[in-house]
Amino acid sequence: MLTLSGSALETGLTAPALFRLTTVPDLPAPLRAQRAFLMRGLGDVPEGYPHYLVFDRDPIPANGAAFTRLDEKFAYLSDDDIVHLSPHGHVRTLFRSASNHNSILLTEQCNNYCLMCSQPPKRKDDRWIVDEVRQLVPMMPRTTKSLGITGGEPTLFGDDFLDIIRLCKSWLPTTALHVLSNGRSFADVGFARNYAAVDHPALTVGIPVYSDDPSRHDYVVQEKGAFDETIRGILNLKRFGQRVEIRVVVHKQTFERLPELAEFIARNLVFVDHVALMGLEMMGFTRANLDALWIDPIEYRDELSAAVAVLRAYRIPVSVYNHQLCLINPDVGIAYVKSISDWKNEYVPECDGCARRDECGGFFSSGVKHGYSPSIKPFPHRHPAVD
Amino acid sequence: MTEKFLPVQDYLPDSGTYELLPFKFEPVGADEVILTNLTGEFLYLKREKLDSLVSHRLAPSDADYRALRARHFIRQPNDRATLDLLALKTRTRLSRLANFTNLHLFVVTLRCDHACHYCQVSRQSEDRQSFDMSEETADRALDLVFRSPNPAIKIEFQGGEPLLNFPLVRYVVEKAEQRNRVERRDLQFVVATTLSMVTDEILEFCRVHGIHISTSLDGPEDLHNRNRPRPGRDSHRKFTDGLKKARDVLGYDAVSAVMTTSPASLPRAREIVDEYIEHGFDSIFLRPLSPYGFAIKTKSYQAYDAGSWLEFYRAGMDYIIDLNKRGVRFVEHYSSVILKKMLTNDDPMFVDLMSPCGAGISAVVFNYDGDVYASDESRMLNEMGDATFKLGNVHSDSYRDIFASDALLSVLEDSFASSAPMCSDCAFEPWCGADPVFHHATQGDILGRKPESEFCKRMMGMIRYLLDVMRADPQAKSIFMTWVNS
Ligand code: SF4
Ligand code: SF4
């Protein structure tokens, strides 16, 4: 796991600031003024950067410029990454140019309270984030392929949320934007219309639907009436021609009616652009509610097969994420996506010698740490391994 | 579970607070019913559950309650999405009606080289003047075709054998294309032909103009030749040669085949399907024979009742399902029409299985002499001296005269199955349709008396068969799901 937020060893900053990093010593002067210089070991210290980052025991810039000293946890930082530094030495990495999964957490507030939330909501007013994002978006490289907007529930900021989308369209016109929302705000036709009116060229909103049974969905998100608003939100979004992805986390409370949910989607929401069926991540509330949520994926493999078959029959694009290959039926393979995190795929000791490890997404590091299926079984090699 | 999370019971609605939404039901076996709603969704319930349901005693914790709410048979007063979805699905189902006429049939000649027993209209005459459509008639018909508001226009050439008057086919295609440079409709052409007289020149014309071929294959050689007598008794061989040639030039997908079920076909469902497979087709239409027209008039040819046709249908379907399970993708179109209405919100607008009926809406027929009919069957009926469904003539009547004629409007009005006696209470009505021409021909009544109707008997038989199969065999249901979405 990357450390995205932590403390600096020391800092000479006097006011909080966002910096885009560079390791290029001879940038033209006008660009230097907009970057922090990332020092690696010894070497000449170029002049003209407003701030410098140094690691561990490396020497400080001899020119006496302001610098922040980081420890090796931040060694991953590289060109075009964007960090936020505070005068108290707090460091937050907001953008990593090497990643295809950058996202902006717009708020930690939410109007749902999902049993398995990986980012437990907080009540605190955090509208300050919007201002930071207004600064951040124009600093991002224009070549960024994709960007997520998450929360909490990012739409809770209403017009400010729409402003951020507009800002992304203006500054990052070729960056695909993926919003994660519970969809309830879009039940308001006016809001859905305004969202569509932004007319972003590559915008998708991912909305969770956990059951075809309203009470079951409401229970999972711990909010009465949420299902009704979410469905009406999806209808409004599609009415205005917006791209919508339905996201289903499969666990003990949702697996039983998974085939019925697929039929519900096929019958009522056949026009959605994608359905993602996802395994449980051992993060946030999930660990508190483990007894209520955990089920060995091998036990719902038939429900998963049935759901994939229905969605595929209705020509609804479907992907299965966050699952281990040895726990799904072969007929799910066609929808299987080898993707766990943007950092690296992790495996467990049981995986040793598995013939299909290259195709398998493996585990979240949270899974490796906090528990995973006892049914992991490596695929045998067709021929006994030589050596 | 930690304290701050509430248990699932807290999210169930209060008992007895649900509202019933429109649905109909039909008994299945001794102690069950099947429920359908107006968008064609369905589920099974025990009879006693039905009683609890309608008396508002069904408990929110009951699994049936969940299914009923999820499929929009009931709703809680706050469920607004339910009504939005029902409305949306209903609109989707009916949306194609607003497009009005799509299929325009041109009977370019009544002359034919075949003398099929079940054919009501063909002539063996050599007299070109009397039974061929003229260019003038075709021009008038085209005027009407382009009056249709439908963005998609399909012109199908029929006969007789349309290849006997191919110059007129050329004429119509070229004229229509010319007009379409301004009209910009999605314009398609089909020629319905036995292929016995197809030439390289004809195929080349079809290729250049993207014309599809709809041909006839009734079954194995002996059956096909018996159904379709022509001088030389070589109908099947001519078909085989023509099919190969047509596919060579036009491509595999441009050639399809239709099948007519003669009494001699009835015991041979499997062989007929096999014949289709042998010729490389991936679908069949197990089409019942119209029980009126020439077949009855000549008495030489006994038609059959719905019961015997259903036996044939079931045998064919059992075999087709088995084929699909063995990995041979093969679709039966008649079932597909019904299944589409059961499993999706789409109504394929098949003339005989629509409500209101498809007369004039989904298809209109221009006869060789300029007479306009509501359907192919109406034209056959007219051949027997019954002009009930004749809408007018291209030479004497305007678009308005024809498409706002009493002959058409009253048929449409009377063919809403949802308001027809018996159909209005029938749980199968969302999947069924109205066939006013059939009921008029057999019962002298457009609405028809359904308890005595062979149409109703056939529909009930097919629907029950399909329901039983889907319930007993999830694999077959999966196969059907792929049929309705192809
Ligand atoms: S054994 Fe490990 S690598 Fe192999 S499929 Fe299972 S989880 Fe994946
Ligand atoms: S024709 Fe028969 S099966 Fe069809 S809706 Fe009417 S009563 Fe029902």
Side-chain angles (χ1 to χ4, degrees):
Chain A
M1 282 281 268
L2 290 180
T3 303
L4 296 176
S5 168
S7 296
L9 297 172
E10 58 173 317
T11 183
L13 264 188
T14 50
L18 286 178
F19 290 109
R20 178 158 159 182
L21 310 183
T22 184
T23 57
V24 184
D26 51 0
L27 279 185
L31 284 182
R32 290 189 196 194
Q34 301 167 20
R35 304 278 198 281
F37 187 73
L38 187 62
M39 289 177 61
R40 296 256 183 225
L42 295 164
D44 293 339
V45 180
E47 296 285 332
Y49 289 91
H51 201 70
Y52 295 80
L53 294 184
V54 298
F55 283 98
D56 269 349
R57 280 178 293 276
D58 288 350
I60 58 166
N63 58 4
F67 68 92
T68 297
R69 188 186 292 280
L70 302 172
D71 65 24
E72 283 304 320
K73 289 200 296 287
F74 288 99
Y76 62 82
L77 287 175
S78 68
D79 273 290
D80 290 331
D81 288 359
I82 302 172
V83 295
H84 180 274
L85 302 176
S86 84
H88 314 292
H90 195 64
V91 185
R92 282 181 296 127
T93 305
L94 301 178
F95 180 87
R96 286 192 307 120
S97 59
S99 168
N100 285 323
H101 300 261
N102 282 293
S103 63
I104 294 170
L105 186 140
L106 202 55
T107 178
E108 292 189 282
Q109 304 173 72
C110 191
N111 52 350
N112 280 356
Y113 205 73
C114 301
L115 297 177
M116 64 293 177
C117 184
S118 58
Q119 186 76 51
K122 302 201 176 103
R123 284 252 167 76
K124 203 168 84 210
D125 181 9
D126 52 8
R127 212 172 262 265
W128 60 268
I129 300 178
V130 176
D131 295 325
E132 182 177 285
V133 173
R134 284 204 175 97
Q135 258 186 289
L136 172 65
V137 169
M139 292 171 76
M140 290 184 182
R142 231 74 70 218
T143 49
T144 303
K145 286 207 176 60
S146 65
L147 183 65
I149 294 188
T150 68
E153 173 52 45
T155 63
L156 289 183
F157 284 156
D159 287 345
D160 281 338
F161 162 76
L162 298 179
D163 268 353
I164 297 300
I165 307 275
R166 227 171 269 129
L167 201 65
C168 290
K169 181 190 172 189
S170 303
W171 287 92
L172 304 165
T174 58
T175 304
L177 205 57
H178 197 283
V179 176
L180 288 183
S181 162
N182 61 38
R184 294 172 57 192
S185 303
F186 299 103
D188 172 355
V189 181
F191 185 69
R193 186 183 290 120
N194 291 342
Y195 171 84
V198 174
D199 199 24
H200 189 289
L203 173 62
T204 302
V205 54
I207 297 177
V209 177
Y210 295 120
S211 178
D212 64 327
D213 169 19
S215 351
R216 173 67 39 169
H217 176 94
D218 289 357
Y219 161 62
V220 172
V221 308
Q222 294 279 302
E223 195 63 40
K224 256 191 191 173
F227 177 85
D228 199 63
E229 285 186 358
T230 294
I231 298 298
R232 285 191 287 126
I234 295 172
L235 291 180
N236 284 337
L237 286 163
K238 290 313 295 182
R239 179 181 310 161
F240 296 121
Q242 298 304 296
R243 289 182 55 83
V244 175
E245 171 191 67
I246 290 183
R247 300 164 69 83
V248 188
V249 182
V250 190
H251 53 62
K252 205 184 199 170
Q253 301 301 330
T254 58
F255 81 94
E256 264 169 291
R257 288 186 72 87
L258 196 57
E260 282 86 354
L261 174 58
E263 285 191 34
F264 177 86
I265 293 170
R267 197 66 190 235
N268 295 284
L269 305 170
V270 68
F271 34 69
V272 296
D273 301 276
H274 185 227
V275 175
L277 305 174
M278 300 176 298
L280 193 62
E281 195 181 350
M282 294 289 184
M283 293 273 282
F285 284 157
T286 302
R287 280 158 62 201
N289 293 322
L290 208 57
D291 285 349
L293 295 174
W294 171 256
I295 174 175
D296 185 346
I298 204 152
E299 285 180 45
Y300 64 68
R301 65 189 189 283
D302 292 340
E303 281 84 357
L304 193 62
S305 286
V308 167
V310 169
L311 294 167
R312 283 182 50 80
Y314 283 81
R315 294 162 187 260
I316 302 169
V318 52
S319 306
V320 172
Y321 296 103
N322 308 346
H323 279 79
Q324 292 77 42
L325 259 189
C326 54
L327 304 182
I328 60 166
N329 290 328
D331 57 6
V332 172
I334 194 147
Y336 183 85
V337 178
K338 177 194 172 178
S339 144
I340 288 284
S341 79
D342 61 328
W343 178 230
K344 68 174 197 243
N345 299 82
E346 297 197 32
Y347 300 90
V348 295
E350 289 90 321
C351 300
D352 283 353
C354 176
R356 300 186 64 192
R357 196 167 153 141
D358 285 350
E359 304 157 60
C360 176
F363 298 80
F364 287 116
S365 31
S366 58
V368 174
K369 205 152 113 203
H370 302 294
Y372 53 88
S373 163
S375 316
I376 298 298
K377 197 167 156 245
F379 286 95
H381 284 271
R382 204 114 44 110
H383 305 291
V386 197
D387 156 307
Chain B
M1 185 99 139
T2 43
E3 291 304 317
K4 53 186 174 180
F5 295 98
L6 299 176
V8 65
Q9 300 82 266
D10 285 38
Y11 294 91
L12 294 179
D14 296 333
S15 302
T17 55
Y18 62 84
E19 297 167 0
L20 298 178
L21 294 166
F23 66 82
K24 307 195 237 190
F25 59 89
E26 199 72 35
V28 179
D31 61 346
E32 274 188 309
V33 290
I34 182 164
L35 269 59
T36 63
N37 67 10
L38 70 170
T39 63
E41 280 175 279
F42 61 99
L43 53 77
Y44 295 90
L45 270 191
K46 292 269 181 241
R47 259 206 185 268
E48 75 249 20
K49 288 284 184 68
L50 177 67
D51 294 340
S52 321
L53 169 65
V54 294
S55 53
H56 294 265
R57 282 186 285 107
L58 195 65
S61 55
D62 194 310
D64 284 327
Y65 177 99
R66 289 201 285 274
L68 286 159
R69 189 175 174 204
R71 296 204 192 153
H72 307 150
F73 288 85
I74 57 174
R75 69 159 193 151
Q76 289 301 134
N78 294 330
D79 289 348
R80 288 172 59 190
T82 307
L83 298 189
D84 289 351
L85 287 168
L86 273 177
L88 179 61
K89 288 186 279 187
T90 307
R91 261 198 323 273
T92 307
R93 266 178 106 75
L94 298 176
S95 61
R96 290 210 212 179
L97 280 178
N99 285 338
F100 216 61
T101 326
N102 161 242
L103 180 60
H104 306 261
L105 299 157
F106 277 60
V107 180
V108 295
T109 179
L110 285 190
R111 293 181 297 125
C112 190
D113 60 326
H114 281 72
C116 304
H117 298 301
Y118 46 69
C119 178
Q120 291 92 336
V121 292
S122 74
R123 298 288 193 286
Q124 253 60 58
S125 166
E126 287 301 313
D127 181 355
R128 287 182 170 263
Q129 306 308 317
S130 333
F131 299 116
D132 282 12
M133 185 182 273
S134 69
E135 290 186 358
E136 198 203 345
T137 303
D139 281 334
R140 297 288 177 100
L142 276 177
D143 287 340
L144 297 174
V145 168
F146 282 101
R147 290 292 301 274
S148 166
N150 203 315
I153 285 183
K154 192 188 229 177
I155 295 177
E156 179 168 329
F157 300 101
Q158 284 207 345
E161 171 52 64
L163 300 192
L164 284 172
N165 190 12
F166 201 72
L168 190 81
V169 173
R170 283 172 187 272
Y171 178 82
V172 172
V173 169
E174 279 160 4
K175 275 272 166 144
E177 282 178 342
Q178 206 177 340
R179 298 182 74 136
N180 203 41
R181 267 176 232 138
V182 179
E183 293 276 352
R184 303 225 153 260
R185 313 283 184 102
D186 172 10
L187 182 63
Q188 284 182 297
F189 301 101
V190 180
V191 179
T193 168
T194 61
L195 287 173
S196 63
M197 331 200 66
V198 80
T199 63
D200 293 342
E201 202 193 341
I202 287 174
L203 286 175
E204 186 53 21
F205 181 82
C206 291
R207 189 187 64 77
V208 170
H209 295 271
I211 302 171
H212 284 218
I213 300 268
S214 167
T215 183
S216 306
L217 174 60
D218 284 357
E221 186 159 9
D222 68 302
L223 179 64
H224 184 93
N225 285 343
R226 187 171 154 195
N227 277 359
R228 302 181 167 271
R230 77 185 290 284
R233 298 174 175 281
D234 57 356
S235 178
H236 188 271
R237 200 175 48 73
K238 291 247 173 212
F239 162 82
T240 310
D241 297 347
L243 178 68
K244 163 120 187 21
K245 253 200 237 172
R247 281 178 172 165
D248 281 348
V249 179
L250 304 180
Y252 176 86
D253 288 330
V255 190
S256 60
V258 294
M259 193 271 304
T260 302
T261 315
S262 73
S265 315
L266 292 178
R268 304 180 66 176
R270 271 173 168 254
E271 287 173 75
I272 294 171
V273 172
D274 275 340
E275 181 75 16
Y276 269 69
I277 295 175
E278 192 181 321
H279 287 287
F281 291 107
D282 57 7
S283 65
I284 195 168
F285 196 148
L286 296 177
R287 201 167 56 137
L289 183 60
S290 316
Y292 45 92
F294 195 80
I296 287 176
K297 205 165 71 175
T298 59
K299 299 246 167 57
S300 61
Y301 214 75
Q302 283 291 306
Y304 43 82
D305 63 9
S308 354
W309 181 82
L310 279 169
E311 247 173 74
F312 164 80
Y313 165 77
R314 284 188 288 254
M317 277 296 287
D318 285 346
Y319 183 51
I320 289 170
I321 292 168
D322 184 52
L323 285 175
N324 280 278
K325 286 185 179 171
R326 286 190 271 154
V328 182
R329 192 186 145 78
F330 194 83
V331 177
E332 200 286 299
H333 287 301
Y334 208 175
S335 309
S336 286
V337 172
I338 299 171
L339 288 166
K340 230 182 170 110
K341 297 203 263 189
M342 289 176 157
L343 301 174
T344 78
N345 304 311
D346 191 18
D347 184 338
M349 298 277 134
F350 178 68
V351 189
D352 297 345
L353 293 183
M354 285 171 66
S355 164
C357 74
I361 298 186
S362 77
V364 64
V365 181
F366 299 104
N367 209 3
Y368 71 100
D369 55 3
D371 281 352
V372 184
Y373 296 101
S375 67
D376 214 22
E377 285 74 16
S378 322
R379 150 171 90 112
M380 297 176 184
L381 211 57
N382 190 68
E383 290 293 318
M384 295 167 61
D386 181 343
T388 311
F389 301 101
K390 183 172 146 180
L391 306 178
N393 188 286
V394 297
H395 295 286
S396 50
D397 300 303
S398 69
Y399 184 80
R400 178 176 271 277
D401 292 339
I402 293 170
F403 287 92
S405 65
D406 284 345
L408 182 57
L409 293 186
S410 66
V411 175
L412 292 180
E413 227 173 288
D414 285 342
S415 65
F416 278 92
S418 48
S419 61
M422 191 155 145
C423 303
S424 63
D425 295 325
C426 175
F428 301 159
E429 181 271 324
W431 308 320
C432 195
D435 194 343
V437 184
F438 174 91
H439 287 110
H440 168 83
T442 54
Q443 301 185 336
D445 176 34
I446 285 175
L447 265 174
R449 294 177 299 281
K450 299 295 151 50
E452 302 159 24
S453 157
E454 291 281 302
F455 170 82
C456 176
K457 212 172 284 171
R458 187 170 75 228
M459 292 315 299
M460 289 215 176
M462 290 178 77
I463 287 169
R464 284 198 186 268
Y465 170 85
L466 295 170
L467 287 172
D468 289 348
V469 167
M470 283 195 279
R471 199 170 188 200
D473 184 349
Q475 198 188 346
K477 186 176 177 187
S478 297
I479 291 164
F480 289 168
M481 280 185 176
T482 64
W483 287 12
V484 299
N485 289 293
S486 56

